[in-house]
């Protein structure tokens, strides 16, 4: 844009990049080097491929890239805990309980938050730059909706550019950007299996996000749109999904999926009250403070709603539901589900 003569962009770039004496950016990577740090905060649980992808992307965009191991910090905290309690938690793959396993993952996540804020405040000083940097968050809408995040980890930042976007939309953007923006490494990042890499990698076990959350990201995107955009509760979501998924799932299978989603949605809804401010790009954002003002305390058993779903399962004939599921007019959710009070999305 500067090369094309846009004086406003040029003035903004000079100000943000802190250029002096008539200088201004002539290369995007040189500008990025001035204003953006990236850091791979790796542990023994990270694969070499993940570390490599981070480095290649940083080189492509031109960020000032750092690599640091957090294993020493994790070990120090565990040693302190052992001194206090006499016990040392173990991962699930090493015989530990679910509580131990989750706590060990959360320690890594929260250490990264502390380290990110320390680097953001001190790296400009290290490089004789004025002011301090902002920390960018990296939790997407689906992770927030399901609660598949640790409080005060990567969900905690100064601003989150992707907080209101679903995983599916983000992946579509990465595929587009790999071609149209020229960052080819994004294609490899998008193709990589989603994993937090917070548990040890073993020959017979590799952590997988969709296994951990008990649903696919494709399903989670559907739940998010139905919950927020179409204002569905458990019963109306069940009715809608019987039409949408009826060709491949029985009513009892749909009911199981809906109950599983609402159980964890309600258990983790409180996390939304602590989220970093999102850049709002979509209507399905679950963020509590400004966009989705639902309560954060629910009866997680949903006794009335789940009982009603069970009653409807008994009433539905599987063959009729499958027939409706093949109807052309209900193939795409994006065409509109007007049906908070009705099972038929055409009503």
């Amino acid at each position: 844009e500067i090369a094309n003569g846009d004086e406003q962009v040029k003035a903004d770039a000079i100000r943000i990049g802190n250029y002096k004496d008539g200088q201004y950016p002539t290369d995007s990577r040189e500008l990025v080097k001035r204003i953006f740090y990236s850091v791979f905060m790796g542990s023994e649980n990270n694969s070499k491929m993940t570390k490599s992808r981070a480095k290649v992307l940083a080189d492509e965009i031109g960020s000032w890239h750092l690599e640091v191991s957090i294993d020493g910090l994790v070990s120090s905290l565990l040693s302190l805990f052992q001194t206090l309690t006499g016990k040392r938690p173990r991962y699930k793959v090493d015989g530990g309980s679910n509580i131990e396993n989750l706590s060990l993952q959360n320690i890594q996540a929260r250490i990264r938050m502390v380290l990110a804020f320390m680097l953001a405040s001190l790296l400009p000083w290290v490089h004789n730059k004025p002011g301090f940097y902002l920390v960018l968050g990296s939790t997407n809408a689906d992770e927030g909706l399901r609660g598949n995040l640790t409080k005060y980890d990567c969900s905690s930042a100064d601003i989150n550019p992707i907080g209101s976007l679903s995983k599916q939309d983000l992946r579509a953007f990465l595929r587009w950007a790999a071609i149209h923006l020229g960052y080819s490494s994004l294609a490899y990042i998008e193709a990589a299996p989603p994993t937090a890499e917070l548990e040890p990698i073993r020959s017979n076990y590799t952590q997988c996000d969709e296994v951990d959350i008990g649903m696919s990201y494709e399903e989670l995107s559907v739940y998010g749109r139905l919950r927020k955009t179409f204002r569905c509760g458990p019963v109306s979501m069940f009715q809608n999904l019987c039409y949408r998924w009826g060709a491949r799932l029985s009513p009892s299978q749909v009911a199981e999926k809906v109950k599983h989603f609402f159980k964890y949605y309600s258990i983790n809804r409180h996390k939304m009250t602590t989220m970093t401010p999102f850049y709002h790009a979509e209507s399905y954002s679950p963020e509590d403070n400004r966009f989705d003002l639902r309560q954060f305390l629910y009866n997680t058993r949903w006794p009335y709603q789940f009982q009603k779903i069970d009653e409807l399962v008994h009433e539905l004939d599987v063959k009729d539901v499958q027939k409706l599921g093949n109807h052309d007019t209900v193939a795409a959710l994006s065409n509109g589900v007007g049906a908070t009070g009705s099972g038929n999305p055409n009503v």
Side-chain angles (χ1 to χ4, degrees):
E1 293 302 316
I2 293 174
N4 291 334
D6 192 319
E7 291 299 323
Q8 184 61 60
V9 170
K10 182 178 179 179
D12 289 340
I14 290 172
R15 174 176 53 84
I16 295 170
N18 197 37
Y19 288 89
K20 304 293 184 181
D21 302 322
Q23 294 181 330
Y24 62 89
T26 57
D27 176 75
S28 63
R29 295 179 75 255
E30 188 275 329
L31 174 61
V32 171
K33 181 75 74 174
R34 285 173 171 257
I35 66 174
F36 188 50
Y37 289 100
S38 56
V39 54
F40 183 80
M41 295 178 277
S43 76
E44 60 185 359
N45 300 324
N46 289 119
S47 68
K48 292 181 179 178
M49 286 302 298
T50 303
K51 182 178 180 180
S52 174
R53 283 191 289 264
K55 179 66 167 62
V56 171
L57 177 59
D59 289 342
E60 282 188 345
I61 65 177
S63 64
W64 195 296
H65 188 66
L66 302 171
E67 295 177 351
V68 60
S69 171
I70 63 171
D71 290 328
L73 296 172
V74 173
S75 180
S76 295
L77 281 176
L78 292 177
S79 296
L80 174 61
F81 179 83
Q82 189 171 12
T83 300
L84 291 172
T85 66
K87 292 187 175 183
R88 193 178 185 95
R90 297 177 296 168
Y91 288 104
K92 180 174 58 180
V93 295
D94 297 326
S97 65
N98 286 333
I99 291 176
E100 294 171 77
N101 193 67
L102 184 60
S103 295
L104 287 170
Q105 294 184 67
N106 289 344
I107 289 170
Q108 298 167 71
R110 291 189 174 112
I111 282 175
R112 286 171 173 150
M113 181 275 291
V114 174
L115 181 56
F117 273 97
M118 183 180 73
L119 292 173
S121 62
L122 289 176
L123 280 178
W125 168 73
V126 169
H127 292 122
N128 296 313
K129 296 180 180 180
F132 54 88
Y133 280 29
L134 299 177
V135 176
L136 302 183
S138 58
T139 300
N140 61 59
D142 291 342
E143 291 168 337
L145 182 75
R146 169 58 174 74
N148 188 41
L149 56 92
T150 303
K151 266 188 173 180
Y152 313 116
D153 68 332
C154 66
S155 62
S156 296
D158 291 302
I159 190 168
N160 186 349
I162 65 172
S164 71
L165 294 172
S166 75
K167 187 82 165 185
Q168 295 298 96
D169 287 345
L170 285 167
R171 294 182 73 170
F173 172 75
L174 292 182
R175 292 192 295 270
W176 178 89
I179 298 172
H180 296 281
L181 299 184
Y183 301 133
S184 59
S185 64
L186 293 178
Y188 299 100
I189 292 171
E190 188 276 332
T195 172
E197 291 191 331
L198 293 171
E199 296 181 68
I201 299 173
R202 298 286 189 264
S203 59
N204 61 345
Y205 178 77
T206 300
Q207 188 178 20
C208 174
D209 284 355
E210 293 182 323
V211 173
D212 286 348
I213 64 178
M215 60 191 74
S216 69
Y217 277 112
E218 183 179 3
E219 291 173 338
L220 198 47
S221 290
V222 174
Y223 299 146
R225 286 175 168 84
L226 284 173
R227 178 60 176 157
K228 179 63 176 69
T229 309
F230 301 105
R231 302 178 179 86
C232 285
V235 176
S236 55
M237 186 179 294
F238 165 76
Q239 291 172 314
N240 276 285
L241 290 178
C242 278
Y243 283 91
R244 180 174 174 83
W245 294 343
R248 59 184 179 88
L249 296 175
S250 68
S252 60
Q253 290 173 315
V254 174
E256 182 180 352
K257 286 180 177 291
V258 170
K259 289 179 181 178
H260 183 73
F261 164 70
F262 271 97
K263 173 185 175 181
Y264 286 97
Y265 164 83
S266 55
I267 285 174
N268 292 307
R269 178 66 186 163
H270 66 96
K271 294 181 180 180
M272 287 292 94
T273 66
T274 67
M275 296 301 284
T276 294
F278 296 164
Y279 162 71
H280 287 301
E282 267 290 356
S283 60
Y284 53 69
S285 173
E287 190 253 1
D288 168 88
N289 294 309
R290 286 160 292 275
F291 202 71
D292 186 349
L293 302 181
R294 301 175 203 272
Q295 68 265 35
F296 64 90
L297 292 177
Y298 287 91
N299 184 338
T300 59
R301 295 186 298 273
W302 301 84
Y304 173 81
Q305 293 91 338
F306 286 3
Q307 181 181 346
K308 182 65 176 177
I309 289 175
D310 291 337
E311 294 172 359
L312 290 171
V313 169
H314 290 300
E315 294 174 7
L316 288 170
D317 180 86
V318 175
K319 292 183 179 179
D320 287 343
V321 174
Q322 289 176 336
K323 181 179 179 181
L324 286 168
N326 286 319
H327 200 283
D328 291 340
T329 57
V330 296
L333 179 66
S334 60
N335 288 340
V337 180
T340 302
S342 167
N344 187 344
N346 293 311
V347 173

